[in-house]
């Protein structure tokens, strides 16, 4: 039997490689590999990933406050995005159907106090939750920070790969066939990534935005909740390096060291496979999703508040992902040159060439970094409510189209991949069409002015005028 082991393993590895390349497995849509430290995850290409949870702004925001926040957030990102190798995903979700769970957590402390005092007032707490559920919605806002190998020069990258290969060979480290490769990270990126995260975190908190750097376990739970919330308990924790090794079934005839290490991370974050139901819809677990992508960005810049108001009026659950990448002009490739050569053929070619020249002028003569932006959104229903999904997707598309006159589409070629493009932190890839713009214009579109309470929990629950729960703890 030992003679067959290498053959069977080779066949299994080949079939797995084919399935990943063709996108047949859900794991192929997740770029995360393992944990590098308490606050950083590792991607399969060696990138480092950290997630900031943003509660919101703890003061009233008017026109002057908005301009100040927009200006300072832009300045905080300029230094990092002026160089290649950084990316930022801004993820926002609103769901009226799950607000009851949030209200339960906010009142958990008050309920515990009442229980210790011998007060049987659970019915009052439950009534408060039921009443507020009609007027509130659950909200989540995260910043996902990526530092990628492209931040290194070509020589540095090649040397890093060579050093890692030499280390593996010298230490006789076997391949991690069935476990997390916690050695995948590049030490050369760690200092840059830590500086990127620390700088943005300090700037956001200085602005009065309640921001927290998430532990990798909490970050993975937030990612999984964005993918399959119906199959994820709020206390769920992933298996990561440093945790107790789980008891696992060996998948090999001969012993393999990877069979006793921590299990692969992608199946933990995407617990159930999905399927494409049509060109526009995909099923993940017990939900059917419809995606919407922005193809042409706003002709007139409008703040996120305008979009939020339009979608809130539609009363639908939704989420949106802004993926911002540095070195935006690289996305244009040879298009400006070809457009300039063919400018005699059509007036649009001259416009494309002029736009590229303007971006180059801004890059050289101003402090405004030129970035690449891709935006994808999604809404969902329970399985069996596909007719309702068509209505919700149409409402979401109309709301986005009215947000500064955008053009949207619903078809990306892979409905499942398009839906996961709007999920939290799975990869630094998106099925949306990229646009190139100055960073200051991009930050104007972001959800950076949502209100937040200074208290995470409280005995008294209020709400903002637009329906965000606002706990208050008297006497604190």
């Amino acid at each position: 039997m030992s003679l067959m082991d290498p053959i069977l393993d080779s066949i299994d590895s080949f079939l797995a490689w084919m399935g990943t390349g063709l996108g047949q497995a859900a794991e192929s849509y997740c770029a995360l590999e393992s944990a590098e430290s308490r606050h950083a995850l590792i991607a399969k290409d060696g990138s480092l990933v950290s997630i900031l949870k943003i509660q919101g702004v703890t003061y009233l925001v008017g026109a002057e406050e908005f301009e100040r926040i927009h200006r300072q957030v832009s300045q905080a990102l300029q230094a990092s995005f002026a160089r290649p190798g950084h990316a930022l995903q801004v993820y926002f979700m609103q769901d009226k159907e799950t607000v009851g769970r949030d209200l339960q957590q906010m009142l958990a402390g008050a309920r515990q106090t009442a229980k210790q005092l011998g007060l049987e007032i659970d019915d009052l707490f439950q009534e408060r939750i039921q009443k507020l559920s009609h007027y509130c919605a659950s909200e989540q806002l995260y910043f996902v920070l990526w530092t990628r190998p492209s931040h290194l020069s070509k020589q540095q990258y090649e040397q890093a790969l060579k050093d890692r290969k030499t280390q593996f060979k010298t230490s006789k480290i076997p391949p991690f066939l069935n476990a997390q490769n916690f050695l995948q990270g590049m030490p050369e990126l760690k200092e840059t990534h830590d500086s990127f995260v620390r700088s943005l975190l300090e700037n956001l908190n200085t602005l009065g935005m309640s921001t927290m750097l998430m532990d990798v376990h909490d970050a993975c739970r937030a990612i999984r909740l964005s993918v399959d919330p119906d199959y994820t308990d709020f206390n769920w924790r992933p298996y990561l390096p440093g945790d107790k090794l789980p008891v696992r079934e060996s998948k090999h005839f001969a012993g393999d060291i990877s069979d006793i290490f921590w299990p692969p991370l992608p199946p933990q974050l995407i617990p159930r496979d999905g399927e494409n139901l049509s060109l526009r819809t995909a099923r993940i677990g017990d939900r059917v999703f419809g995606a919407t992508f922005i193809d042409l960005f706003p002709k007139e810049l409008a703040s996120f508040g305008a979009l939020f108001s339009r979608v809130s009026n539609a009363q639908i659950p939704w989420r949106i992902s802004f993926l911002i990448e540095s070195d935006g002009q690289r996305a244009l490739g040879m298009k400006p040159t070809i457009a300039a050569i063919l400018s005699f053929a059509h007036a649009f070619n001259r416009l494309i060439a002029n736009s590229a020249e303007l971006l180059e002028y801004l890059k050289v003569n101003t402090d405004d970094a030129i970035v690449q932006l891709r935006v994808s959104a999604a809404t969902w229903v329970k399985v069996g409510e596909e007719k309702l999904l068509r209505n919700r997707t149409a409402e979401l598309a109309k709301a986005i189209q009215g947000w500064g006159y955008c053009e949207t589409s619903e078809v990306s070629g892979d409905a499942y991949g398009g839906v996961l493009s709007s999920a939290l932190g799975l990869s630094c890839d998106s099925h949306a069409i990229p646009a190139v713009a100055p960073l200051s214009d991009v930050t104007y579109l972001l959800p950076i002015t949502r209100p937040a309470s200074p208290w995470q929990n409280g005995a008294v629950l209020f709400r903002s005028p637009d329906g965000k729960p606002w706990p208050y703890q008297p006497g604190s």
Side-chain angles (χ1 to χ4, degrees):
M1 198 67 181
S2 60
L3 295 176
M4 294 294 295
D5 289 349
I7 299 175
L8 293 175
D9 285 344
S10 298
I11 295 174
D12 183 65
S13 299
F14 176 74
L15 294 176
W17 175 79
M18 286 290 293
T20 300
L22 296 174
Q24 293 181 342
E27 292 83 359
S28 61
Y29 295 91
C30 179
L32 300 179
E33 178 66 31
S34 185
E36 195 272 341
S37 64
R38 181 183 175 186
H39 299 293
L41 296 166
I42 310 172
K44 294 177 181 177
D45 63 353
S47 300
L48 296 180
V49 187
S50 295
I51 299 182
L52 302 180
K53 182 176 183 179
I54 301 178
Q55 300 292 346
V57 181
T58 55
Y59 52 86
L60 293 177
V61 178
E64 293 183 3
E65 289 80 8
F66 175 81
E67 292 298 331
R68 180 173 61 86
I69 293 173
H70 165 246
R71 181 177 62 255
Q72 295 192 20
V73 169
S74 299
Q75 292 174 355
L77 295 172
Q78 290 291 352
S80 297
F81 282 85
R83 302 187 300 272
H86 287 298
L88 169 67
Q89 182 197 15
V90 179
Y91 170 89
F92 177 84
M93 186 277 295
Q94 184 189 38
D95 187 2
K96 192 178 180 66
E97 297 173 359
T98 60
V99 69
R101 182 178 60 185
D102 293 348
L103 297 176
Q104 294 275 8
Q105 293 174 354
M106 292 176 184
L107 288 175
R111 277 183 157 175
Q112 184 64 26
T113 301
K115 184 178 180 180
Q116 292 176 351
L117 294 174
L119 300 176
E120 298 181 358
I121 54 175
D122 277 351
D123 54 336
L124 297 180
F125 288 119
Q126 195 61 34
E127 181 186 15
R128 185 177 302 176
I129 292 172
Q130 291 177 354
K131 292 294 182 182
L132 283 175
S133 297
H134 296 298
Y135 304 99
C136 295
S138 175
E139 289 187 22
Q140 301 290 337
L141 175 59
Y142 297 96
F143 280 14
V144 185
L145 284 60
W146 292 74
T147 302
R148 310 176 73 181
S150 57
H151 182 78
L152 303 174
S153 65
K154 183 179 180 181
Q155 293 78 10
Q156 290 175 321
Y157 179 66
E158 291 177 350
Q159 185 62 42
L161 293 180
K162 183 178 179 181
D163 292 344
R164 184 166 62 185
K165 184 178 180 180
T166 302
Q167 180 186 7
F168 277 39
K169 185 176 181 180
T170 304
S171 304
K172 297 182 180 180
I173 300 176
F176 296 88
L177 300 177
N178 191 36
Q180 299 175 34
N181 186 357
F182 51 87
L183 301 176
Q184 186 68 22
M186 292 185 173
E188 294 82 0
L189 295 176
K190 188 177 188 309
E191 184 176 347
T192 301
H193 181 73
D194 290 344
S195 176
F196 179 33
V197 174
R198 184 170 58 252
S199 174
L200 184 57
L201 178 63
E202 291 176 355
N203 279 283
L204 293 179
N205 281 318
T206 301
L207 277 172
M209 299 176 67
S210 179
T211 308
M212 177 187 67
L213 177 59
M214 300 187 72
D215 176 89
V216 288
H217 293 88
D218 295 334
C220 288
R221 180 171 63 248
I223 293 172
R224 175 162 161 155
L225 283 169
S226 75
V227 175
D228 197 350
D230 298 330
Y231 203 68
T232 305
D233 185 77
F234 190 78
N235 296 317
W236 175 86
R237 284 172 62 89
Y239 284 107
L240 296 173
D243 297 340
K244 182 179 179 180
L245 289 172
V247 178
R248 300 173 58 198
E249 178 185 1
S250 175
K251 293 187 177 182
H252 298 83
F253 296 106
D256 190 300
I257 191 172
S258 66
D259 286 332
I260 65 171
F261 280 163
W262 301 274
L265 187 57
Q268 298 186 63
L269 301 180
I270 308 178
R272 294 188 286 183
D273 286 337
E275 62 174 333
N276 290 325
L277 300 181
S278 68
L279 291 175
R280 294 180 174 85
T281 60
R283 180 190 61 81
I284 301 177
D286 299 325
R287 294 187 177 189
V288 180
F289 291 80
T292 301
F293 310 96
I294 296 184
D295 293 342
L296 294 178
F297 285 81
K299 299 177 182 178
E300 300 176 2
L301 285 180
S303 67
F304 181 81
L307 174 63
F308 182 86
S309 298
R310 296 178 65 88
V311 181
S312 296
N313 291 336
Q315 296 290 313
I316 61 174
W318 68 295
R319 69 188 186 199
I320 188 168
S321 168
F322 300 82
L323 181 60
I324 308 167
E325 298 176 85
S326 58
D327 197 15
Q329 285 180 296
R330 185 178 60 178
L332 297 176
M334 295 295 295
K335 293 178 183 177
T337 303
I338 297 175
I341 295 173
L342 299 177
S343 59
F344 65 89
H346 200 284
F348 284 172
N349 293 334
R350 171 49 56 188
L351 292 176
I352 294 173
N354 291 342
S355 299
E357 292 175 2
L358 176 59
L359 292 173
E360 182 65 26
Y361 175 85
L362 292 174
K363 179 180 179 180
V364 174
N365 297 281
T366 69
D367 295 329
D368 211 353
I370 306 302
V371 299
Q372 181 182 170
L373 173 66
R374 288 179 282 182
V375 179
S376 55
T379 184
W380 56 88
V381 296
K382 296 292 185 181
V383 172
E385 299 178 341
E386 283 75 8
K387 185 176 180 180
L388 176 61
L389 179 62
R390 294 300 308 147
N391 294 333
R392 288 184 172 180
T393 304
E395 291 292 338
L396 180 59
K398 288 190 293 184
I400 295 176
Q401 290 166 9
W403 182 40
Y405 310 108
C406 296
E407 290 294 336
T408 64
S409 64
E410 298 179 7
V411 178
S412 65
D414 181 2
Y416 183 76
V419 168
L420 291 184
S421 295
S422 62
L424 173 66
L426 284 177
S427 71
C428 200
D429 191 16
S430 174
H431 285 223
I433 294 177
V436 181
L439 180 60
S440 59
D441 288 352
V442 172
T443 54
Y444 197 89
L445 306 174
L446 302 181
I448 52 178
T449 56
R450 296 297 301 147
S453 170
W455 297 272
Q456 298 294 326
N457 304 294
V460 181
L461 283 182
F462 296 108
R463 64 180 178 90
S464 66
D466 53 13
K468 183 173 183 179
W470 207 92
Y472 167 64
Q473 183 60 46
S476 61

